[in-house]
Amino acid sequence: VAAFDGGAITSDAGAPLLGGTDRAIGLIDRFAGCFTDHRRADLIEHEVRTLVGQRVFGIALGYEDLIDHDELRHDPMMAVLAGKLAAKRKGCAPVAGKSTLNRLEHAPAGGNGRYHKIGHDGAAFESLFVDLFVDAHGRPPKRITLDLDATDDPLHGQQEGRFFHGYYGCYCYLPLYVFCGRHLLAAKLRPSNIDAAAGSVEEVERIVERIRGRWPKVKILLRADSGFAREALMAWCEANRVDYVFGLQRNTRLVAEIEAELAEAQRLSAESGQPARRFRDFLYATRNSWSRPRRVIAKAEHLPKGANPRFIVTSLAAAEIDGRRLYERVYCARGEMENRIKEQQLDLFADRTSAASLRANQLRLWFSSFAYVLIAALRRIGLAGTRLADATCGTIRLKLLKIGALVRISVRRIKIAMASGCPYQAAFREAHARLSAAAA
């Protein structure tokens, strides 16, 4: 016999780790500071900090839809995370329901209408991503690599900014992401009727300026696929002391440059029966679009299925790094960024952009992005050196956050009695101790 009548029981007993992470990096308070509340203070039940924290914590715990919060507002762990065990008003839950959160997400620009009185500052959100990245480092690094990529966000309604994208074969948005390792620095929602690199100069300029404001001597390398090998972006990098390595789409002129290397690779592959590759370093310029010749590294590779030539363009000098190492060790490592985007979309619902307006969908993307920042900080601070140090956001949620527990609230304390058979008790204790030390 089963029924939902167990009382104060939660399936999210690991949520205090998220609260500890928030205290360590100050995410929710700083995020909430980017909103402007025009509501009457004497009539408010749920402060902006409660609403913002509830949304971010909810996504991190696996609740992507606002309707989930009509029941979650009664969950004791959401109350613990909000630091508010009871509402001021009789009959209210400690945290907000779907309608209040819905008004937060759908506030128009200004946020001072009759029903939408909480506005937000998108530029402040964008700056906060960079500030959290810089704050995560105890000392300035000598060099950092910024990865850029655009991805598809399929749409199934009549959302504002909806266009059909021929490459992806669907109606979608085309968000731009910027990562530095596992740190998220930008998540910009864009319509898909644009070039993949559209707006990248402005995003990179903003991020680099803010980073150099804190780390004036840091060397910055920009890394991206061939969709970003555009004159405007490369020229900006060259004028602002930012190095780059971009994929370069092959054409007949580029392939003709490495005919000898391709023939040699084909011969070696035929002799060994294995893939073979050769590299060549040369200067190259397009006929019209580039303002100057640039260093290009070619990979002349022959596979059992045939030739596979690939090219990259870079501002790094040959004396600084040889072509093979640059391609294999530096450029190919950009594939790791794909895993970060997968975490965003598969684990943290960054593609849940079903609101009618582009502004509301951008805010949803930011909520998802800050949920990623929160779990990434938990992984970096609390799980370093454990068997979950390299776990995805989804795995961390499953192993450490989704734990069943009985919650007992007394006058002196809140006791969260977790399942005795939890197999990740040691990792939980270690993470909790590290987060507590970081927040002290």
Side-chain angles (χ1 to χ4, degrees), residues 258-273:
I258 58 169
E259 283 184 353
E261 286 77 11
L262 282 171
E264 176 67 9
Q266 182 177 10
R267 183 186 66 81
L268 293 173
S269 179
E271 290 178 356
S272 65

Side-chain angles (χ1 to χ4, degrees), residues 298-314:
K299 180 189 73 169
E301 185 177 47
H302 196 88
L303 304 173
K305 292 183 179 181
N308 181 40
R310 298 296 176 95
F311 303 88
I312 59 173
V313 58
T314 184

Side-chain angles (χ1 to χ4, degrees), residues 4 18 27 42-43 57 84 119 136 165 215 231 238 250 311 314 346 349 352 354 374 397 400 406-407:
F4 291 97
L18 296 178
L27 172 61
D42 59 317
L43 300 179
F57 291 135
K84 183 183 176 188
H165 197 288
W215 299 337
E231 169 64 24
E238 291 159 354
R250 67 188 179 196
F311 303 88
T314 184
L346 300 180
F349 323 109
R352 200 75 167 182
S354 55
L374 186 68
R397 176 194 296 146
L400 291 183
L406 175 64
V407 182

Side-chain angles (χ1 to χ4, degrees), residues 99-385:
S99 299
T100 304
L101 292 171
N102 187 63
R103 289 193 291 272
L104 171 72
E105 287 197 355
H106 290 82
N112 195 15
R114 182 175 181 181
Y115 300 108
H116 302 88
K117 293 183 175 293
I118 303 175
H120 62 266
D121 184 351
F125 293 159
E126 293 172 338
S127 298
L128 180 56
F129 281 114
V130 184
D131 291 342
L132 289 166
F133 161 69
V134 174
D135 293 345
H137 294 75
R139 61 180 65 180
K142 294 181 179 179
R143 179 186 290 273
I144 60 173
T145 300
L146 303 182
D147 287 306
L148 283 75
D149 203 1
T151 189
D152 65 314
D153 176 1
L155 301 175
H156 306 284
Q158 299 297 322
Q159 290 93 326
E160 178 188 7
R162 166 184 180 267
F163 290 97
F164 186 85
H165 197 288
Y167 177 81
Y168 294 111
C170 65
Y171 286 91
C172 62
Y173 287 134
L174 193 69
L176 173 67
Y177 284 98
V178 182
F179 281 87
C180 182
R182 286 180 169 172
H183 296 273
L184 176 59
L185 277 73
K188 188 79 169 180
L189 196 64
R190 308 174 300 172
S192 61
N193 63 335
I194 58 173
D195 180 65
S200 58
V201 173
E202 292 78 9
E203 284 297 300
V204 170
E205 182 177 15
R206 175 184 61 79
I207 292 170
V208 168
E209 180 181 1
R210 198 158 189 92
I211 290 175
R212 283 184 170 161
R214 301 274 297 273
W215 299 337
K217 296 182 179 180
V218 67
K219 294 182 179 179
I220 300 174
L221 174 68
L222 213 59
R223 184 169 58 186
D225 62 19
S226 59
F228 292 85
R230 303 291 186 261
E231 169 64 24
L233 184 54
M234 292 188 288
W236 183 90
C237 289
E238 291 159 354
N240 290 275
R241 300 181 295 108
V242 175
D243 288 315
Y244 60 83
V245 53
F246 298 144
L248 185 61
Q249 189 172 5
R250 67 188 179 196
N251 57 44
T252 54
R253 287 181 58 209
L254 286 168
V255 174
E257 284 279 351
I258 58 169
E259 283 184 353
E261 286 77 11
L262 282 171
E264 176 67 9
Q266 182 177 10
R267 183 186 66 81
L268 293 173
S269 179
E271 290 178 356
S272 65
Q274 300 294 324
R277 58 174 58 175
R278 287 289 180 267
F279 287 85
R280 186 179 167 200
D281 204 319
F282 57 94
L283 287 178
Y284 172 82
T286 61
R287 289 197 172 102
N288 299 311
S289 58
W290 287 9
S291 60
R292 50 174 287 184
R294 294 182 168 97
R295 182 190 178 198
V296 170
I297 292 96
K299 180 189 73 169
E301 185 177 47
H302 196 88
L303 304 173
K305 292 183 179 181
N308 181 40
R310 298 296 176 95
F311 303 88
I312 59 173
V313 58
T314 184
S315 63
L316 296 169
E320 188 172 352
I321 184 169
D322 68 88
R324 181 169 194 144
R325 182 179 177 83
L326 179 62
Y327 185 93
E328 294 181 339
R329 299 291 183 87
V330 179
Y331 176 72
C332 287
R334 64 164 295 277
E336 181 62 21
M337 182 187 181
E338 301 290 341
N339 294 326
R340 308 286 77 78
I341 294 177
K342 286 178 182 178
E343 285 187 278
Q344 274 271 283
Q345 294 193 330
L346 300 180
D347 295 342
L348 296 168
F349 323 109
D351 57 353
R352 200 75 167 182
T353 47
S354 55
S357 70
L358 184 64
R359 176 181 171 84
N361 285 323
Q362 174 66 84
L363 183 56
R364 286 187 173 189
L365 177 58
W366 279 328
F367 276 127
S368 169
S369 300
F370 280 113
Y372 169 84
V373 171
L374 186 68
I375 296 184
L378 166 58
R379 180 169 53 198
R380 183 183 71 252
I381 300 170
L383 300 177

Side-chain angles (χ1 to χ4, degrees), residues 13 403-406 416-423 425:
I403 302 174
L406 175 64
I416 304 167
M418 287 181 270
S420 302
C422 177
Q425 298 179 41

Side-chain angles (χ1 to χ4, degrees), residues 405-428:
L406 175 64
V407 182
R408 301 189 187 97
I409 300 176
S410 66
V411 175
R412 293 185 301 160
R413 67 179 184 174
I414 303 164
K415 174 65 184 294
I416 304 167
M418 287 181 270
S420 302
C422 177
Y424 291 90
Q425 298 179 41
F428 189 100

